[in-house]
Amino acid sequence: MQKRRPSGRRPLLLAVGAGVTVAALAAGMTSAFAATVFSDDFTDGDTSGWSKSGGTWAVDGSGVLNQSNAGSELARQFAGQTSWTNYSVQARVRPTSFGSSSALVGLAARSSSSTRMYRLVLLGSGRAELQAVNGSSVTAIGSASLGIGTGNWYTLRIETSGSTIRGFVNGTQIASGSNSLAGAGRIGVVTAYASGGFDDVVVDSSGGGTPTTPPPTTTPPPTTPPPTTTPPAAGWPTPTGSQKVDATIAVSGTFDGGLKRYYGIGDGGQSESQDPMFELAAGATLRNVIIGAPAGDGVHCEGNCTLINVWWEDVGEDAATFRGGTTYTVDGGGARSASDKVFQHNGSGTVYIKNFRVENAGKLYRACGNCSTSYQRHVVIDNVTVRNTDAIAGINTNWGDTARFSRITIVGDPDRETSICVKYKGVPKGSEPTEIGEGADGVNCLYSPSDITYQ
């Protein structure tokens, strides 16, 4: 889902650790927001864009990400991309319990795997330590005794530039050294035999170079799966039965609903916190399903997925959100009554939409413009009928997104103009993308007049 947030960030209210001055704290924070390429203050109430490994994680009502299992040997949440090289990552960190003097709560950079990374950690012994971690082998690059205590907030920052790794606590450098363990990797927050809270995670380019998403491809993705001659269905199907759903249906393999109507999750509104009706594991297929109202957050695809002849009678938040994987196919079916968008593309790769009909919607497709990770995304839309819809696709041209259109039929009120391809400038999480144009350009928005028919 593309998050809706207030324009401002929450103020950074920090408890300064022993031996650290307020002036040093302020100086350290000023540089943290130069060339921001990633940010998450968790005010959306979830960990979208992060991947969990161990521990018990939840976002509380104040917008803090907490790991509450102090018995977990190693708990981690990762975000960003493995291709990131020279950068700085900063976060507010609050230890809430330590199981021993060696227990830790901290921040990670250049994580090339779940057990290979640089860490800046607060220890139960009261020290802060910058570490190079390679499995069970932990090398201390440097440390300082700061009298770390539970319940206090500390601002941790790791800067990476080539082989130089530096660690800061509340704006004061506590360690610096040369190490060649990891040249690139994701960011992370970690605990070991401890519990803690995390907030206001920011990645910027002040470590020596801007972490970037993969560069735009020189050519947009092909129009495969190949177009078919099957037209979108002329009308909406009649359900063969109805089934109330009280909890998300997990799908692995293929789920064939036999055109039964499924309904009952959420309130039918635009709340971002609603559960999905169906959650598809990587490689799963959902087919012959009618999704009634309320339908919560529709369908979540956690990896590559296929939706065949799936119908949404009344889209609440989103009809489907493509979260993980690289290839997603929507073949047949339709959606109506979407006040915002029908398909939300949060992950990377390409969404293929064909033989589909959409009615009374804001947009048929939107590439997320402010998700935690700024992927390059593509959509291929073929053989689709559009009625009373504001726009067919919205993409972020500054990230190299593309949208390709063929055999589009626009039906309805001639006084209501439907935009084919709307261009946005994507922004880091916590900000709002801005619209910068629309229309075919041969680079990002790919279609010709012959691809669009008006009825």
Side-chain angles (χ1 to χ4, degrees):
M1 293 175 286
Q2 185 165 314
K3 304 300 181 186
R4 302 175 183 84
R5 296 185 179 81
S7 58
R9 296 173 59 84
R10 299 198 317 282
L12 302 179
L13 304 176
L14 308 180
V16 182
V20 180
T21 67
V22 174
L25 167 61
M29 287 178 53
T30 300
S31 65
F33 295 92
T36 300
V37 294
F38 174 99
S39 64
D40 198 348
D41 60 11
F42 303 106
T43 54
D44 55 5
D46 63 38
T47 55
S48 175
W50 294 78
S51 58
K52 167 189 166 184
S53 177
T56 303
W57 299 86
V59 178
D60 66 22
S62 63
V64 174
L65 174 62
N66 294 286
Q67 199 294 109
S68 59
N69 184 0
S72 178
E73 179 180 6
L74 194 57
R76 296 143 295 188
Q77 286 270 10
F78 296 108
Q81 298 191 43
T82 57
S83 60
W84 283 2
T85 54
N86 299 325
Y87 61 89
S88 299
V89 56
Q90 176 174 292
R92 298 171 63 215
V93 178
R94 177 183 61 191
T96 53
S97 71
F98 289 113
S100 67
S101 61
S102 60
L104 61 89
V105 178
L107 182 65
R110 285 190 182 173
S111 175
S112 58
S113 74
S114 61
T115 57
R116 186 182 179 93
M117 68 192 76
Y118 295 111
R119 288 191 314 213
L120 178 58
V121 297
L122 308 176
L123 299 168
S125 63
R127 297 183 68 81
E129 187 168 275
L130 182 62
Q131 304 172 337
V133 180
N134 187 9
S136 60
S137 175
V138 178
T139 301
I141 297 173
S143 66
S145 181
L146 299 179
I148 301 299
T150 58
N152 294 328
W153 283 104
Y154 301 87
T155 298
L156 274 57
R157 179 175 175 84
I158 304 173
E159 296 184 354
T160 65
S161 180
S163 62
T164 300
I165 314 299
R166 300 196 297 167
F168 299 77
V169 177
N170 289 348
T172 296
Q173 181 175 301
I174 62 99
S176 178
S178 180
N179 191 280
S180 58
L181 171 70
R186 298 183 294 172
I187 64 167
V189 292
V190 299
T191 69
Y193 296 116
S195 58
F198 304 87
D199 204 356
D200 298 304
V201 183
V202 178
V203 180
D204 63 60
S205 63
S206 59
T210 303
T212 58
T213 53
T217 53
T218 54
T219 57
T223 56
T224 55
T228 65
T229 57
T230 305
W236 295 82
T238 300
T240 59
S242 292
Q243 179 174 325
K244 188 176 186 300
V245 177
D246 297 317
T248 299
I249 300 172
V251 178
S252 58
T254 298
F255 182 99
D256 192 325
L259 279 182
K260 184 184 294 185
R261 174 191 288 125
Y262 293 81
Y263 72 97
I265 286 184
D267 58 9
Q270 290 290 308
S271 171
E272 299 283 359
S273 61
Q274 297 180 85
D275 293 329
M277 177 74 72
F278 293 93
E279 184 175 82
L280 275 58
T285 296
L286 181 68
R287 64 190 308 153
N288 300 324
V289 166
I290 299 173
I291 298 179
D297 201 34
V299 177
H300 283 185
C301 285
E302 301 302 322
N304 293 352
C305 69
T306 303
L307 308 179
I308 300 175
N309 198 33
V310 177
W311 298 82
W312 289 264
E313 293 182 327
D314 187 345
V315 176
E317 167 50 20
D318 299 324
T321 304
F322 305 108
R323 295 155 57 95
T326 58
T327 304
Y328 324 87
T329 300
V330 178
D331 188 353
R336 61 189 178 193
S337 301
S339 59
D340 189 6
K341 56 202 173 299
V342 174
F343 297 123
Q344 173 74 24
H345 190 181
N346 290 358
S348 62
T350 305
V351 174
Y352 297 92
I353 305 169
K354 61 180 182 177
N355 310 322
F356 195 80
R357 64 185 299 114
V358 57
E359 299 180 2
N360 302 318
K363 292 182 181 67
L364 172 60
Y365 167 92
R366 178 67 169 103
C368 186
N370 60 359
C371 282
S372 297
T373 303
S374 305
Y375 297 111
Q376 183 186 93
R377 303 175 175 97
H378 308 283
V379 64
V380 176
I381 302 176
D382 174 68
N383 203 27
V384 168
T385 298
V386 179
R387 181 188 296 270
N388 296 331
T389 294
D390 295 331
I392 300 176
I395 61 174
N396 310 297
T397 55
N398 59 315
W399 293 336
D401 294 356
T402 64
R404 183 187 293 272
F405 305 83
S406 58
R407 296 190 295 169
I408 306 299
T409 302
I410 298 177
V411 183
D413 186 349
D415 295 327
R416 179 175 181 176
E417 182 178 354
T418 296
S419 299
I420 308 301
C421 185
V422 182
K423 306 169 191 177
Y424 293 86
K425 180 180 179 181
V427 294
K429 185 175 181 180
S431 301
E432 286 298 322
T434 55
E435 183 177 332
I436 57 176
E438 64 175 89
D441 56 18
V443 178
N444 301 101
C445 295
L446 301 158
Y447 63 94
S448 63
S450 62
D451 292 313
I452 313 299
T453 301
Y454 294 88
Q455 292 183 355

